[in-house]
Amino acid sequence: MPAFPFSEANPIQYPGPPPKSSDVVIIGGGVIGVTTALFLARRDIPVTLVEKGRIAAEQSSRNWGWIRKQGRDADELPIVIEASRHWRQLAEECGEDIGLKQTGVTYLASSDDKMAGFEEFMKIAAAHKIDTRLLNAQETAGLIEGMSGSFKGAMTTPSDMRAEPWVAVPALARLAAREGVKIVENCAARTLEISAGRVSGVWTEAGHIATSSVLLAGGAWSSLFLRRHGVSIPQLSVRSTVAATEPMPEIHAGAAAADHIAFRRRQDGGYTLAPGGGSLLYVGPDAFRHATKYFPALMANPFGTRYSPAAPAGYPDSWATPRRWAPDSQSPFERMRVLDPAPASSGLRSIERNFTRLFPQLGRVRIKASWAGMIDAMPDVVPIVDRVQAIGGLIVATGMSGHGFGIGPGIGRVVSDMIQGNEIGHDLTRFRLSRFYDGSAIRPGPAL
């Protein structure tokens, strides 16, 4: 079966070298790092983005490709509404077909409890004037024809969109480079240089970059980087398996999720499929360190998580991964340029089985590719977007909990204005780093 489109074997598109100085340095070449850099460049701010491997090679290209307002945490929703506007504009500006289409997102309900949860979100949707609506069983069957069995109903948001993430984020990076962002691939940020409690530079494997402002948007690697500097965040990484089918008849133009299967129409005429749950957590030092903070999430079981006692060598929370290293020595980020977990064979069998059960008229599902990604998760299933009080000039945007692709350009705009000291336009209280240490109760957001 073909490998995922991005790996360390991919040619380097942005070879560097990095500059000696830059007003802003961004660590991480995913959707948030790329869009933050783009918005800064549009304010004529010199910005350098360093990526240890390849642009978008990790979770920003491995996600489901949903751009949704539906089911969002109430505090995320204003930012994702903004992000939807940015996606439309950026899709035009990049001059490439990124597969952006308004085809809607639908959640299917197999129980009255699930419908009750949908009704709760309808209050949030009404407050923000989005077009989400509830469907009864008959309307649900009419929206997605040919489904076997029956559902109690559904929740659908016609204005939600889809795009091809492995196309979209590299296209945005090319747009950012054209507009002046200095991107350097295969260039791990090893450590921060800190003087008098403030960032004064970044040590990379290719040398030092003098700067007074850093954004860490390192996804699954953010916690490891911060711990090296004495900052602890309760971020863990869970593995999720995804598959792509060969082209097949269209059963639904948008994206939908039931209890055990999620699917999205693809630009190539096939479907992206994923289990409704079934993520895998590799238990390592951080999992033990932050276990108590995850109790509310584990009680709610938002990830449908299974556990493995040890991560493969080199993973962020592997028992053998170093937690300390010097600026002039090899870091864990260079040892694993691209975090490329193997998909779970049991997950692939589950995907095929459950999709076939839902649409038996399609016959055997032909899988043309499969992959997995490591989702950077937080105990309350919402991200950290905040300044690090202990280190002046450092901002963190991480822990998107599997929701980062859709909201990415909105977070990028927000962080770019944080860096500039401008008004943000949104209340970021929910996303503060201190919520995990100031005695606040952990309040899990929506899991999907």
Side-chain angles (χ1 to χ4, degrees):
M1 189 171 290
F4 191 72
F6 296 125
S7 74
E8 191 175 339
N10 285 68
I12 296 170
Q13 302 297 318
Y14 305 97
K20 297 298 183 183
S21 65
S22 183
D23 282 15
V24 180
V25 173
I26 295 175
I27 301 171
V31 63
I32 290 167
V34 166
T35 54
T36 300
L38 176 60
F39 286 116
L40 287 169
R42 289 180 171 180
R43 297 288 186 88
D44 296 322
I45 296 172
V47 55
T48 300
L49 186 155
V50 293
E51 164 55 48
K52 68 183 178 65
R54 305 293 184 272
I55 290 292
E58 295 190 357
Q59 192 55 26
S60 280
S61 60
R62 296 163 187 264
N63 62 83
W64 297 359
W66 296 21
I67 300 172
R68 63 176 175 85
K69 302 176 290 294
Q70 177 168 295
R72 288 280 186 172
D73 183 272
D75 293 291
E76 283 186 333
L77 193 51
I79 302 177
V80 82
I81 290 171
E82 177 185 341
S84 296
R85 298 194 298 269
H86 290 312
W87 272 116
R88 294 180 187 277
Q89 181 176 346
L90 293 171
E92 293 183 5
E93 293 172 345
C94 74
E96 302 179 44
D97 184 359
I98 63 171
L100 185 71
K101 293 184 181 298
Q102 180 181 312
T103 50
V105 165
T106 300
Y107 294 169
L108 302 165
S110 57
S111 68
D112 291 333
D113 285 347
K114 184 76 76 172
M115 286 299 293
F118 293 170
E119 289 168 1
E120 285 299 310
F121 181 76
M122 290 300 297
K123 300 172 187 177
I124 299 171
H128 292 276
K129 297 181 172 57
I130 62 175
D131 58 338
T132 306
R133 59 193 179 98
L134 293 181
L135 307 179
N136 61 30
Q138 183 177 1
E139 291 168 329
T140 300
L143 178 67
I144 306 176
E145 296 182 355
M147 292 188 296
S148 65
S150 61
F151 290 89
K152 293 282 186 178
M155 179 170 68
T156 190
T157 305
S159 62
D160 281 348
M161 299 182 288
R162 61 179 171 91
E164 304 300 347
W166 51 89
V167 178
V169 182
L172 295 181
R174 287 187 283 272
L175 174 62
R178 290 196 298 272
E179 297 197 17
V181 175
K182 177 65 174 179
I183 300 174
V184 189
E185 291 180 311
N186 218 56
C187 183
R190 288 176 170 171
T191 66
L192 301 176
E193 181 183 66
I194 301 172
S195 305
R198 290 194 56 84
V199 169
S200 56
V202 176
W203 286 103
T204 78
E205 64 179 290
H208 180 265
I209 307 173
T211 187
S212 59
S213 187
V214 171
L215 167 64
L216 175 63
W221 299 94
S222 295
S223 178
L224 182 63
F225 187 90
L226 288 171
R227 178 159 288 280
R228 166 63 179 75
H229 296 86
V231 178
S232 177
I233 62 172
Q235 176 182 294
L236 301 178
S237 299
V238 293
R239 185 188 71 178
S240 184
T241 293
V242 189
T245 74
E246 296 283 357
M248 58 195 310
E250 183 170 292
I251 50 174
H252 183 56
D259 288 340
H260 302 296
I261 190 71
F263 55 93
R264 173 185 67 81
R265 186 68 165 170
R266 291 162 56 93
Q267 190 178 27
D268 62 8
Y271 282 85
T272 291
L273 308 179
S279 296
L280 177 69
L281 170 65
Y282 295 110
V283 177
D286 283 346
F288 277 96
R289 185 177 294 112
H290 301 301
T292 58
K293 292 182 172 59
Y294 279 84
F295 283 160
L298 294 174
M299 293 296 291
N301 196 30
F303 304 119
T305 307
R306 296 176 295 109
Y307 304 92
S308 173
Y315 276 42
D317 199 25
S318 169
W319 292 99
T321 297
R323 267 62 185 175
R324 301 288 298 178
W325 56 90
D328 59 353
S329 64
Q330 188 185 53
S331 70
F333 316 115
E334 296 146 74
R335 295 173 184 171
M336 183 164 286
R337 297 286 182 185
V338 176
L339 185 54
D340 186 18
S345 56
S346 60
L348 293 174
R349 290 193 296 271
S350 172
I351 286 170
E352 292 186 58
R353 179 175 63 252
N354 292 325
F355 192 66
T356 300
R357 284 177 179 171
L358 189 58
F359 298 104
Q361 73 276 17
L362 296 176
R364 180 176 174 270
V365 178
R366 298 188 304 279
I367 301 295
K368 74 171 187 178
S370 63
W371 62 91
M374 297 300 290
I375 295 172
D376 48 319
M378 301 305 298
D380 50 7
V381 206
V382 294
I384 293 171
V385 183
D386 199 4
R387 298 182 182 277
V388 177
Q389 295 303 316
I391 304 175
L394 175 61
I395 292 174
V396 175
T398 195
M400 298 296 143
S401 301
H403 308 161
F405 178 68
I407 201 173
I411 296 289
R413 197 285 302 166
V414 163
V415 174
S416 73
D417 277 316
M418 287 180 69
I419 290 169
Q420 296 170 74
N422 299 334
E423 287 294 325
I424 303 302
H426 298 295
D427 182 358
L428 300 184
T429 303
R430 176 88 156 115
F431 312 123
R432 71 194 188 282
L433 170 58
S434 65
R435 72 187 189 267
F436 298 113
Y437 305 103
D438 62 7
S440 300
I442 291 175
R443 176 168 56 91
L448 189 61

